[in-house]
């Protein structure tokens, strides 16, 4: 009984999925640590202009090189990632809260409320959401908050759909009947029995939305509509680097681009693993 | 009296499951309803528990005619009727420990302060140990979960109890134990009982009166 032979197989071999999750977790952890710790600990001025050092290729002092006014690109990238991540996380959270509330309300009330709300969702979904986002930021002065509002207001739609369909299927469960018979109000049924059941799904939607929201921030900034041009965000960094790319200077474009791509893939990898845990049957849809 | 008059119900108004079913239960009386599966007896049980709006017909509970259903029904009317369903798995919220599952109706009606005492009392009656009360539904057997569901149905001391195939999933000893609990409750509180099932032997031994489904409905 003591020698559990079949266990050793799982211990010595790791599936590619486990490796993917580990790599994703390490990268995500490093990114979070970097954006949280570097600005307060490393007392360097990311805005420090040094025209004598402009557009230097990667070197020992400046691992990512310098930009067209001689600012250190590694530092700019970290600051840019910080802003992009802040926008991504806040926008994803706000969008998820709106989406969960709207979806749950539509499903819990049903009838006309449901039809009206869902047709509204369909209407908004029929407009490309980058276009809708541009419309929203255009109403404000450039800044972090308009971008967050724009991304949040255009991204709750899919969460509302997911939560609504989930709540609809839960609503007809006998335990909801039992709760009603036990005197529970509609509000109590929703808060006590329905919402806790959809929270894992909503949380997953929020995590999946973080990279998506980061890309939107970058797209808006790249188009010159998002954050003010002096603020280091990944979109702005790529935008200002465009000119020098044509002159053959590749590093001001490559590194911010990597800073955008690698963390988003890492977050997506973690979210994929989470989705597998929630719903193993949907494994085929996982890869992003 | 719990009166069902000429109930027509189903899930599509154009094609009801049954037409004109009538049944009356007096306080303290146990009425069995026997019928083949799929005939609509569970739907009638849901109507009797005010959980399903019939397409036609009247339901009268203790002289009050029911006009609104599910969560729109007056709370004192809804809670006057306890329900036990066939499948304990689906009728228990998977996130609640059995202790909270049983106490939930008390909390939902603003009497959460009574929870500890009532739960201990009912757990002893239905035979749930303290260890089981701390577990979640997936950690107990069907029989243990059904015991908790029966306790939940009794926690508000309903005047009427609807048992929809309560024992269909259970073994003989658990069935006997649960029937004994229901009978003790009926004797103690004088509650009326509607037992829906297809087990003729059980229903005829258990109930004062056993009705055949075919005699209760008007064939269209």
């Amino acid at each position: 009984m003591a020698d559990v032979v079949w266990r050793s197989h799982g211990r010595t071999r790791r599936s590619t999925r486990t490796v993917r999750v580990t790599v994703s977790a390490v990268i995500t952890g490093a990114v979070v640590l970097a954006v949280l710790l570097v600005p307060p600990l490393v007392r360097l001025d990311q805005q420090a202009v040094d025209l004598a050092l402009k557009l230097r290729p990667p070197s020992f002092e400046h691992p990512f090189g310098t930009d067209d006014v001689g600012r250190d690109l590694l530092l700019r990238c970290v600051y840019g990632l910080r802003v992009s991540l802040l926008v991504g996380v806040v926008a994803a959270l706000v969008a998820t809260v709106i989406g969960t509330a709207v979806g749950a309300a539509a499903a819990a009330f049903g009838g006309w409320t449901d039809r009206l709300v869902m047709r509204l969702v369909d209407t908004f979904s029929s407009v490309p959401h980058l276009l809708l986002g541009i419309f929203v930021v255009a109403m404000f002065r450039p800044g972090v908050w308009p971008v967050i509002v724009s991304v949040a207001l255009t991204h709750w739609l899919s969460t509302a759909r997911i939560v609504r369909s989930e709540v609809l299927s839960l609503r007809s469960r006998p335990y909801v009947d039992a709760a009603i018979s036990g005197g529970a109000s509609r509000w109590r049924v929703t808060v006590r029995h329905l919402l806790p059941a959809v929270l894992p799904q909503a949380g997953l939607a929020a995590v999946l939305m973080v990279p998506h929201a980061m890309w939107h921030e970058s797209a808006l900034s790249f188009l010159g509509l998002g954050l003010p041009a002096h603020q280091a965000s990944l979109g702005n960094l790529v935008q200002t680097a465009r000119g020098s790319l044509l002159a053959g200077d590749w590093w001001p474009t490559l590194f911010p681009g990597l800073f955008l791509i690698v963390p988003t893939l890492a977050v997506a990898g973690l979210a994929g693993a989470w989705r597998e845990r929630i719903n193993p049957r949907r494994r085929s849809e996982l890869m992003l | 009296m719990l009166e069902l008059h000429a109930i027509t119900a189903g899930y599509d108004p154009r094609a009801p499951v049954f037409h004109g079913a009538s049944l009356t239960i007096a306080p303290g009386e146990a009425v069995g309803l026997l019928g083949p599966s799929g005939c609509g007896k569970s739907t009638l049980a849901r109507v009797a528990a005010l959980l399903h709006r019939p397409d036609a017909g009247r339901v009268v509970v203790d002289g009050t005619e029911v006009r609104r259903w599910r969560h729109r029904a007056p709370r004192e009317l809804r809670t006057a009727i306890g329900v036990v369903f066939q499948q304990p798995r689906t009728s228990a919220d998977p996130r609640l420990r059995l202790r909270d599952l049983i106490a939930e109706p008390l909390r939902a009606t603003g009497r959460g302060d009574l929870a500890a005492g009532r739960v201990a009392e009912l757990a002893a009656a239905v035979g749930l140990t303290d260890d089981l009360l701390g577990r979640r539904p997936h950690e107990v057997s069907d029989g243990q979960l059904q015991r908790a569901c029966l306790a939940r149905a009794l926690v508000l001391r309903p005047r009427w109890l609807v048992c929809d195939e309560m024992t269909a999933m259970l073994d003989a000893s658990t069935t006997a134990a649960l029937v004994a609990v229901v009978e003790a409750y009926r004797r103690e509180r004088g509650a009326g009982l509607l037992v829906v099932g297809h087990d003729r032997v059980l229903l005829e031994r258990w109930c004062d009166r056993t009705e055949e489904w075919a005699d209760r409905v008007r064939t269209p």
Side-chain angles (χ1 to χ4, degrees):
Chain A
M1 288 304 276
D3 52 326
V4 192
V5 182
W6 57 88
R7 278 268 178 86
S8 64
H9 179 76
R11 279 204 192 122
T12 49
R13 283 189 55 197
R14 284 182 162 198
S15 72
T16 47
R17 268 193 294 140
T18 323
V19 173
R20 200 182 81 214
V21 171
T22 315
V23 170
S24 300
V26 167
I27 293 175
T28 312
V31 163
V32 171
L33 281 182
V35 300
L36 288 181
L37 295 183
V38 167
L41 291 185
V42 183
R43 304 204 157 272
L44 291 173
D45 185 6
Q46 50 128 351
Q47 305 278 26
V49 173
D50 187 349
L51 288 174
L53 279 173
K54 69 173 196 167
L55 286 174
R56 290 292 170 88
S59 64
F60 190 71
E61 300 95 89
H62 300 289
F64 285 9
T66 59
D67 70 0
D68 55 354
V69 287
R71 293 177 291 204
D72 179 56
L73 264 173
L74 175 57
L75 202 57
R76 295 281 286 172
C77 280
V78 172
Y79 273 86
L81 187 61
R82 184 169 141 106
V83 171
S84 296
L85 205 61
L86 171 80
V87 171
V89 169
V90 176
L93 281 180
V94 173
T96 304
V97 170
I98 299 177
T100 307
V102 170
F109 286 104
W112 274 106
T113 324
D114 185 26
R115 261 172 266 173
L116 192 73
V117 168
M118 290 329 281
R119 287 305 83 76
L120 212 64
V121 168
D122 289 343
T123 312
F124 277 110
S125 307
S126 65
V127 186
H129 55 258
L130 183 58
L131 209 63
L132 214 57
I134 290 172
F135 181 74
V136 175
V137 282
M139 295 195 294
F140 301 96
R141 296 163 71 99
V144 173
W145 286 106
V147 174
I148 291 178
V149 169
S150 149
V151 176
L153 283 186
T154 48
H155 285 75
W156 55 271
L157 303 158
S158 58
T159 312
R161 281 221 185 93
I162 297 170
V163 168
R164 173 181 172 267
S165 69
E166 197 74 13
V167 169
L168 274 185
S169 89
L170 291 167
R171 208 173 64 140
S172 57
R173 300 275 166 96
Y175 69 74
V176 171
D177 283 351
I180 292 171
S181 176
S185 60
R186 180 141 53 177
W187 170 252
R188 178 140 185 125
V189 169
T190 308
V191 171
R192 179 92 167 140
H193 301 289
L194 300 179
L195 275 184
V198 298
L199 277 186
Q201 293 277 348
L204 175 62
V207 175
L208 278 171
M209 213 185 292
V210 170
H212 192 105
M214 284 171 68
W215 282 86
H216 264 278
E217 180 279 317
S218 301
L220 288 173
S221 297
F222 184 77
L223 292 173
L225 295 161
L227 302 174
H230 69 273
Q231 190 155 21
S233 88
L234 294 174
N236 274 341
L237 290 177
V238 176
Q239 150 75 9
T240 44
R242 254 187 338 155
S244 42
L245 183 65
L246 293 177
D249 301 328
W250 48 270
W251 57 94
T253 312
L254 177 74
F255 291 114
L258 282 180
F259 259 57
L260 189 55
I261 294 168
V262 173
T264 53
L265 282 181
V267 174
L270 282 184
W274 184 2
R275 189 190 293 180
E276 269 176 49
R277 279 194 64 155
I278 295 180
N279 192 348
R281 271 175 301 163
R282 287 223 205 126
R283 249 172 62 183
S284 52
E285 298 171 24
L286 290 181
M287 307 308 287
L288 269 144
Chain B
M1 301 286 272
L2 177 60
E3 301 162 69
L4 302 160
H5 295 296
I7 302 289
T8 297
Y11 301 90
D12 175 0
R14 283 160 300 178
V17 179
F18 58 84
H19 293 268
S22 298
L23 196 66
T24 303
I25 305 162
E29 185 187 26
V31 176
L33 184 60
L34 264 174
S37 70
C39 67
K41 53 190 194 301
S42 283
T43 307
L44 187 67
R46 279 163 52 82
V47 171
L50 315 189
L51 290 172
H52 186 82
R53 174 202 285 278
D55 297 327
R58 300 191 310 131
V59 177
V60 181
V61 182
D62 298 317
T64 314
E65 177 155 358
V66 179
R67 304 203 178 273
R68 293 155 80 76
W69 307 83
R70 294 183 71 80
H71 45 256
R72 292 194 191 85
R75 183 182 267 171
E76 60 278 8
L77 227 50
R78 263 188 285 159
T79 53
I81 306 167
V83 207
V84 188
F85 298 99
Q86 175 173 4
Q87 303 247 7
R89 279 299 143 211
T90 56
S91 55
D93 187 333
R95 272 161 301 276
L96 299 186
R97 295 177 193 285
L98 297 198
R99 179 175 283 115
D100 300 315
L101 186 82
I102 298 170
E104 182 59 24
L106 283 172
R107 299 202 177 115
T109 50
R111 280 171 286 171
D113 48 322
L114 303 176
R118 282 295 281 157
V119 169
E121 201 178 302
L122 281 162
V126 298
L128 286 173
T129 61
D130 209 47
D131 164 49
L132 288 169
L133 286 177
R135 297 203 205 168
R136 290 182 209 279
H138 70 274
E139 297 167 312
V140 301
S141 73
D142 275 0
Q144 289 160 340
L145 196 52
Q146 191 67 305
R147 287 167 192 264
C149 288
L150 176 60
R152 173 181 62 185
L154 299 179
V155 76
L156 293 178
R157 297 201 174 91
R159 295 192 298 278
W160 306 96
L161 190 61
V162 176
C163 299
D164 178 13
E165 301 262 22
M166 178 178 83
T167 58
M169 308 285 289
L170 310 176
D171 60 45
S173 64
T174 313
T175 299
L178 290 194
V179 169
V181 174
V182 171
E183 282 305 286
Y185 178 77
R186 183 161 75 101
R187 267 197 314 278
E188 182 203 346
R189 314 278 311 177
L193 181 62
L194 172 61
V195 186
V196 174
H198 56 253
D199 184 344
R200 181 177 300 275
V201 179
L202 174 72
L203 260 59
E204 281 176 353
R205 288 214 40 168
W206 182 357
C207 303
D208 303 327
R209 162 161 80 89
T210 305
E211 301 284 354
E212 298 287 337
W213 174 258
D215 302 336
R216 292 283 112 205
V217 292
R218 174 166 53 79
T219 35

